[in-house]
Amino acid sequence: MTALALADYVPDRSLGAKIRRRLTRWKVAKPLPVQPRETYICFTFDDFPKSAADTGAEILDEVGARGGYYACTGMAGTSGTMGELFDERDLAPLVAAGHEICAHTESHVDCARASLNDVLVDIDTNLSHLKEMGHSLPVTQFAWPYGETSASLKPAMTTKFDAVRGILPGANNKGADLMQLSAYELDASDASTARAAAAIEAAAKNPTWLFVFTHDVRQNGSPWGTTPEDLRRLVRLARDTGANLVTPSHAVQEILAKDAA
Ligand SMILES: [Zn+2]
């Protein structure tokens, strides 16, 4: 699926779909077993556009933050509303700078509408294509395309990934679903930037685990992306609160390890 097709995606807005989404969220597949003792904030980029890999990474690097890049391999080398998407040349430099490459399916499939088997095959294709593109590290993080998943699918991810991110806003505290973690979307609207900023400020008072996710990082970018200024403002705000600005893997490992210590 090309980035252009992403623009054409229409979520299932039927009442049945709304009820199913609510039930899916309630049905926790793998609860976070502990309350984070410090605040962890993961800045993440979905699909992902080249501007996230260069401008986005530069902004994180300025303050020593490390982020997560959820790669939809079927979009690699294409371009569309979000600008140019990543290709194999973007992976090694991100890893060398300490950022993490995460899975996001091969075809950006709506996992709630596809069969369980089709989703599993699509994810396996995503992982094997990342390997073919030269990414040799284990991929332990995944994000649901469009945030869509199902109660039967989430348990199937527990043996494949350490943590899986969704798109519903919220902080991840003890009991949060490691197979559908909450995340604040940072899009082109000022409201999304303000909401993420408020969450970061609140997290400074009560240790928790936050995700922020966006797409392209450009002036006059897509409706799903942000500007360098807005991203920089949030990253610096997060840095100023003293939060750990780490990759998703680093966050989950530290949260679990600190409890065991
Ligand atoms: Zn996506």
Side-chain angles (χ1 to χ4, degrees):
M1 183 186 279
T2 64
L4 199 62
L6 180 63
D8 299 331
Y9 172 75
V10 180
D12 186 347
R13 293 200 183 93
S14 66
L15 180 62
K18 282 177 185 162
I19 292 169
R20 178 189 49 70
R21 282 191 198 99
R22 203 166 295 170
L23 290 173
T24 297
R25 202 180 192 199
W26 281 339
K27 197 125 194 204
V28 173
K30 188 177 182 185
L32 182 65
V34 296
Q35 180 61 30
R37 293 189 183 181
E38 298 175 16
T39 290
Y40 296 85
I41 302 177
C42 300
F43 285 94
T44 61
F45 306 90
D46 286 6
D47 296 348
F48 56 88
K50 272 187 182 288
S51 59
D54 47 45
T55 308
E58 273 167 36
I59 290 167
L60 295 181
D61 294 344
E62 285 167 8
V63 302
R66 303 287 175 257
Y69 289 79
Y70 292 83
C72 173
T73 34
M75 290 182 178
T78 68
S79 65
T81 320
M82 295 186 289
E84 273 186 83
L85 276 289
F86 83 102
D87 59 42
E88 68 276 7
R89 290 166 298 180
D90 297 305
L91 301 177
L94 285 171
V95 171
H99 304 295
E100 179 172 21
I101 304 300
C102 314
H104 195 46
T105 75
E106 164 69 12
S107 63
H108 214 270
V109 59
D110 178 336
C111 295
R113 288 186 191 170
S115 75
L116 181 78
N117 192 56
D118 284 353
V119 171
L120 295 177
V121 168
D122 200 277
I123 290 171
D124 283 344
T125 306
N126 183 209
L127 294 174
S128 61
H129 281 174
L130 280 173
K131 242 182 221 146
E132 284 165 24
M133 293 170 85
H135 184 69
S136 54
L137 293 175
V139 176
T140 63
Q141 303 289 321
F142 175 71
W144 299 111
Y146 317 108
E148 294 286 356
T149 179
S150 69
S152 59
L153 197 46
K154 290 199 292 182
M157 295 300 116
T158 57
T159 53
K160 296 182 89 68
F161 299 107
D162 292 343
V164 177
R165 211 208 69 217
I167 62 166
L168 297 169
N172 298 293
N173 295 306
K174 183 178 181 181
D177 195 350
L178 279 166
M179 298 296 111
Q180 192 182 10
L181 291 164
S182 298
Y184 287 92
E185 179 165 23
L186 182 57
D187 62 21
S189 72
D190 290 342
S192 74
T193 313
R195 188 167 63 165
I200 290 168
E201 282 169 346
K205 299 186 190 93
N206 295 300
T208 189
W209 181 14
L210 292 188
F211 277 90
V212 175
F213 77 98
T214 189
H215 295 84
D216 45 323
V217 183
R218 300 180 294 161
Q219 299 296 345
N220 306 310
S222 80
W224 311 286
T226 188
T227 61
E229 290 68 31
D230 282 350
L231 180 64
R232 184 175 281 113
R233 198 148 55 86
L234 283 181
V235 167
R236 291 191 174 178
L237 174 67
R239 185 267 319 265
D240 292 345
T241 65
N244 299 286
L245 310 185
V246 295
T247 63
S249 278
H250 195 146
V252 73
Q253 282 160 17
E254 289 236 333
I255 289 167
L256 299 180
K258 289 227 162 136
D259 187 67

